[in-house]
């Protein structure tokens, strides 16, 4: 078996990638699929990936054997910053082939591997490679997480433009409803993106990520698709 890898990125940092990844994994599992999440590079942590920990909480499962073996987060750095800077501060080097091999090992055992990136598409892994370069080279379909905060239209369209230029398939755009900022801007942003995707990216799904406060700890959650 060779599982399908979906890469989850966002229009910026702190846009809801981790919640989207965990809830989508839970949804796939509820549909009867075998699914595992992976964090490409984690910064701002020491022994364990806080994002993997959140994934497991949202999925309602304990740490897996793959988590304990380090396959689901090959690189963890201490300083909360971009991967290239975090690796440099810790005196280490990121070898992207290590991440690729870990993902391939997970693909042998799961139907889906949800690979969460760090920050947005243009985040540098090192001084020679950006996240978007890695996605293109691996030919991974992308799930792009956005929100209704002011500026999201610009950031979303720039991200989609970059994907088109790089020939990256955008499986879906997830619109994060949390946290609330300005209802008028949120509603307008959602409607604009809905129309934009319909005309410019007709094969890309638009999904709504429920509010954080509505995530019950032990019930099925789904990300509705429009």
């Amino acid at each position: 078996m060779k599982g399908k890898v979906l890469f989850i990125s966002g229009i910026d940092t702190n846009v809801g990638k981790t919640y989207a990844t965990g809830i989508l994994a839970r949804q796939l599992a509820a549909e009867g699929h075998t699914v595992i999440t992976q964090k490409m590079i984690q910064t701002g942590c020491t022994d364990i990936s806080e994002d993997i920990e959140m994934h497991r909480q949202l999925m309602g499962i304990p740490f897996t054997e793959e988590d304990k073996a380090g396959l689901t987060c090959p690189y963890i750095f201490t300083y909360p910053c971009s991967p290239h800077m975090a690796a440099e501060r810790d005196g280490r080097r990121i070898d992207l082939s290590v991440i690729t091999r870990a993902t391939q090992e997970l693909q042998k055992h799961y139907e889906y591997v949800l690979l969460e990136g760090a920050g947005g598409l243009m985040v540098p892994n090192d001084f020679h490679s950006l996240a978007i370069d890695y996605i293109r080279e691996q030919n991974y379909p992308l799930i792009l997480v956005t929100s209704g905060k002011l500026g999201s239209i610009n950031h979303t369209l720039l991200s989609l433009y970059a994907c088109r230029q790089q020939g990256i398939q955008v499986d879906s755009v997830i619109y994060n409803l949390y946290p609330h900022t300005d209802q008028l801007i949120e509603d307008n942003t959602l409607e604009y993106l809905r129309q934009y995707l319909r005309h410019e990216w007709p094969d890309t799904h638009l999904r709504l990520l429920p509010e954080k406060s509505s995530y019950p700890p032990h019930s099925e959650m789904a990300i509705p698709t429009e």
Side-chain angles (χ1 to χ4, degrees), residues 122-138:
M122 294 299 179
V123 166
N125 301 312
D126 51 37
F127 285 94
H128 307 287
S129 172
L130 304 173
I132 196 169
D133 298 326
Y134 186 74
I135 299 168
R136 184 195 66 245
E137 290 163 3
Q138 298 301 320

Side-chain angles (χ1 to χ4, degrees), residues 99-215:
I99 299 169
T100 303
R101 288 195 296 271
T103 303
Q104 291 172 342
E105 184 63 29
L106 295 175
Q107 286 180 274
K108 297 177 183 178
H109 307 285
Y110 293 89
E111 294 175 77
Y112 286 94
V113 179
L114 306 184
L115 175 53
E116 180 187 345
L121 292 171
M122 294 299 179
V123 166
N125 301 312
D126 51 37
F127 285 94
H128 307 287
S129 172
L130 304 173
I132 196 169
D133 298 326
Y134 186 74
I135 299 168
R136 184 195 66 245
E137 290 163 3
Q138 298 301 320
N139 198 29
Y140 292 149
L142 175 73
I143 294 177
L144 181 68
V145 182
T146 185
S147 73
K149 65 182 180 180
L150 185 63
S152 289
I153 292 176
N154 175 71
H155 296 337
T156 305
L157 268 56
L158 281 173
S159 296
L160 291 171
Y161 179 81
C163 288
R164 179 159 284 165
Q165 293 296 106
Q166 296 289 336
I168 292 171
Q169 175 194 348
V170 182
D171 175 88
S172 55
V173 171
I174 293 181
Y175 187 89
N176 184 12
L177 297 172
Y178 176 87
H180 278 303
T181 52
D182 183 306
Q183 193 67 52
L184 290 175
I185 294 175
E186 291 172 358
D187 292 345
N188 181 269
T189 299
L190 177 58
E191 182 57 30
Y192 184 91
L193 293 178
R194 182 182 287 122
Q195 294 190 32
Y196 182 83
L197 291 174
R198 186 178 300 131
H199 289 94
E200 301 294 331
W201 294 80
D203 296 326
T204 297
H205 303 291
L206 178 62
R207 305 173 186 266
L208 303 183
L209 182 63
E211 292 184 54
K212 181 180 177 183
S213 60
S214 69
Y215 299 159

Side-chain angles (χ1 to χ4, degrees), residues 11 14-15 35 44 49 55 73 94 117 123 151-152 155 194 213-214 217 224:
I11 62 167
N14 294 325
V15 75
V35 56
S49 164
H55 294 167
C73 190
I94 296 172
V123 166
S152 289
H155 296 337
R194 182 182 287 122
S213 60
S214 69

Side-chain angles (χ1 to χ4, degrees), residues 82-102:
S82 177
H84 78 291
M85 177 181 172
E88 185 176 36
R89 285 183 63 89
D90 283 355
R92 298 168 62 193
R93 173 179 170 272
I94 296 172
D95 182 348
L96 294 175
S97 68
V98 171
I99 299 169
T100 303
R101 288 195 296 271

